[in-house]
Amino acid sequence: MALPTKRLLYVCLLTVVLYVCFNLDPFKGGPFIFKKNSGQFLQLPNINCRQNPPFLLLLVTSAPQQMMARTAIRETWGREQEVRGKQVRTFFLLGTTASEDEMMAVAQENRQHGDIIQKDFKDVYFNLTLKTMMGMEWIHRFCPQVAFVMKTDTDMFINVKYLTELLLKKNRTVGFFTGYLKPKDLPIRNKFSKWYVSQFEYPWSKYPPFCSGTAYVFSSDVASQVYNISESVPFIKLEDVFVGLCLAKLGIQPEELHSQQTFFPGGLSFSACRFRKLVACHFIKSQDLRVYWQALEDSKEEDCRDV
């Protein structure tokens, strides 16, 4: 009886191995699958996109306890404004916390400012993909009329005026995705890395092209397409990689916004002239944001011609 049993086990094992070998396609599913419509919206912003759609929406990933960072952004690059007659709005993407006081504070903050989008998932780093997809869902459901969307973070400096000017010059309204391009990144298998991804989570040897999650920009139709296809793409906790997987399946190739570098995920030392010609810069502290923004507002183009 032992021999037939061993043969049966061998056949079963061989079948599993063959199935895995011939189905290692990153678009045939994975260990985890993102579920659309998961969770309820707890907070929604005060905007009617059908009546008055903005040209550009800035979606900023934040955490409930980062109220000071949100305040600094509201007072600087994230304030409601018009650039060349085009409306720009900024909203913050939040998850939930176990603290009732923090949750009540977020609700009060949204009543005051009307700029928070929140769902009932735990607000931790490894849920950043859920947070980003919440933003995609909100665009898809509530504001598909917007022309462009930027997803960015609270520790960023965004030159909204220059970004708007470049988007107007680009004259692209569909199928557009840009940022700091990462065309050949490999999964990090070091377990001590913040960006570690196991082979179980992602068994393939390289990532498709994607843009740094610090800041990327896309036409609103891309938000709907990414949201709609998300359930058929292997879920991964690195949100920029996950979006890149969705783009690859959609056949959307990330592209440069400008011939010169405008996205700086590694940070950059400040000067008003330098920041006049960038779109996004990482590693900006809230206490520096107001100083940099005011210096940029006070600067003049003619002062920077010879710099």
Side-chain angles (χ1 to χ4, degrees):
M1 294 295 292
L3 187 58
T5 301
K6 287 182 179 180
R7 285 179 179 173
L8 181 60
L9 289 173
Y10 174 77
V11 171
C12 292
L13 180 60
L14 182 61
T15 301
V16 171
V17 170
L18 289 173
Y19 176 82
V20 171
C21 289
F22 286 99
N23 286 275
L24 280 182
D25 181 339
F27 303 129
K28 288 187 178 180
F32 306 105
I33 298 296
F34 172 77
K35 295 296 182 183
K36 291 192 300 181
N37 300 315
S38 57
Q40 300 297 317
F41 282 99
L42 303 178
Q43 301 293 333
L44 290 170
N46 183 19
I47 188 172
N48 187 332
C49 288
R50 290 188 180 89
Q51 292 184 356
N52 187 26
F55 173 76
L56 173 63
L57 269 176
L58 309 175
L59 299 181
V60 186
T61 58
S62 185
Q65 62 271 23
Q66 292 180 324
M67 187 179 295
M68 291 182 63
R70 292 191 291 276
T71 299
I73 290 172
R74 289 186 185 106
E75 294 174 356
T76 56
W77 55 261
R79 67 181 187 178
E80 186 175 354
Q81 57 188 298
E82 282 194 359
V83 179
R84 295 193 175 184
K86 302 295 186 180
Q87 184 187 10
V88 181
R89 295 287 302 273
T90 300
F91 298 147
F92 298 95
L93 306 177
L94 278 69
T96 62
T97 171
S99 169
E100 291 186 11
D101 289 342
E102 287 181 345
M103 291 291 286
M104 290 175 62
V106 167
Q108 173 58 36
E109 188 179 349
N110 195 38
R111 284 192 290 271
Q112 180 179 354
H113 299 285
D115 60 2
I116 290 176
I117 302 171
Q118 184 185 40
K119 261 193 166 187
D120 58 347
F121 59 85
K122 189 175 182 181
D123 199 311
V124 293
Y125 176 76
F126 289 129
N127 277 342
L128 191 53
T129 298
L130 296 180
K131 188 177 289 185
T132 300
M133 292 308 298
M134 172 182 69
M136 298 283 189
E137 179 185 356
W138 185 85
I139 295 293
H140 172 73
R141 291 179 56 187
F142 299 104
C143 201
Q145 298 86 359
V146 65
F148 294 98
V149 183
M150 168 181 266
K151 179 268 164 189
T152 188
D153 299 329
T154 52
D155 58 348
M156 299 291 294
F157 187 100
I158 306 299
N159 186 335
V160 177
K161 292 181 180 179
Y162 191 51
L163 171 58
T164 303
E165 290 171 5
L166 291 177
L167 290 174
L168 288 170
K169 289 179 181 178
K170 200 73 175 178
N171 196 27
R172 285 279 304 278
T173 56
V174 296
F176 180 67
F177 195 97
T178 189
Y180 182 83
L181 272 58
K182 290 176 168 284
K184 298 179 180 178
D185 268 35
L186 306 177
I188 295 175
R189 304 302 190 190
N190 179 358
K191 293 182 179 180
F192 298 100
S193 170
K194 180 181 181 180
W195 301 282
Y196 164 71
V197 174
S198 70
Q199 288 187 317
F200 176 73
E201 293 174 279
Y202 190 84
W204 306 281
S205 60
K206 64 179 181 180
Y207 293 135
F210 66 97
C211 292
S212 166
T214 52
Y216 48 78
V217 181
F218 47 94
S219 52
S220 64
D221 66 301
V222 172
S224 291
Q225 291 182 67
V226 167
Y227 176 68
N228 285 329
I229 208 168
S230 57
E231 283 186 327
S232 64
V233 174
F235 182 87
I236 188 169
K237 60 180 174 281
L238 305 179
E239 55 91 14
D240 46 7
V241 174
F242 180 74
V243 172
L245 286 166
C246 293
L247 295 177
K249 187 165 186 180
L250 290 165
I252 297 174
Q253 184 72 25
E255 57 189 89
E256 298 285 0
L257 178 60
H258 193 275
S259 58
Q260 301 295 319
Q261 182 178 351
T262 56
F263 293 83
F264 293 87
L268 197 66
S269 58
F270 178 80
S271 78
C273 292
R274 184 179 293 129
F275 273 49
R276 283 182 69 88
K277 295 300 180 181
L278 63 74
V279 167
C281 185
H282 194 201
F283 299 119
I284 305 297
K285 298 177 181 178
S286 295
Q287 58 264 37
D288 297 326
L289 186 56
R290 294 179 178 86
V291 176
Y292 294 171
W293 185 80
Q294 192 59 55
L296 188 63
E297 287 288 291
D298 294 339
S299 70
K300 298 179 180 179
E301 188 172 357
E302 54 265 28
D303 297 334
C304 300
R305 288 173 180 169
D306 299 325
V307 177

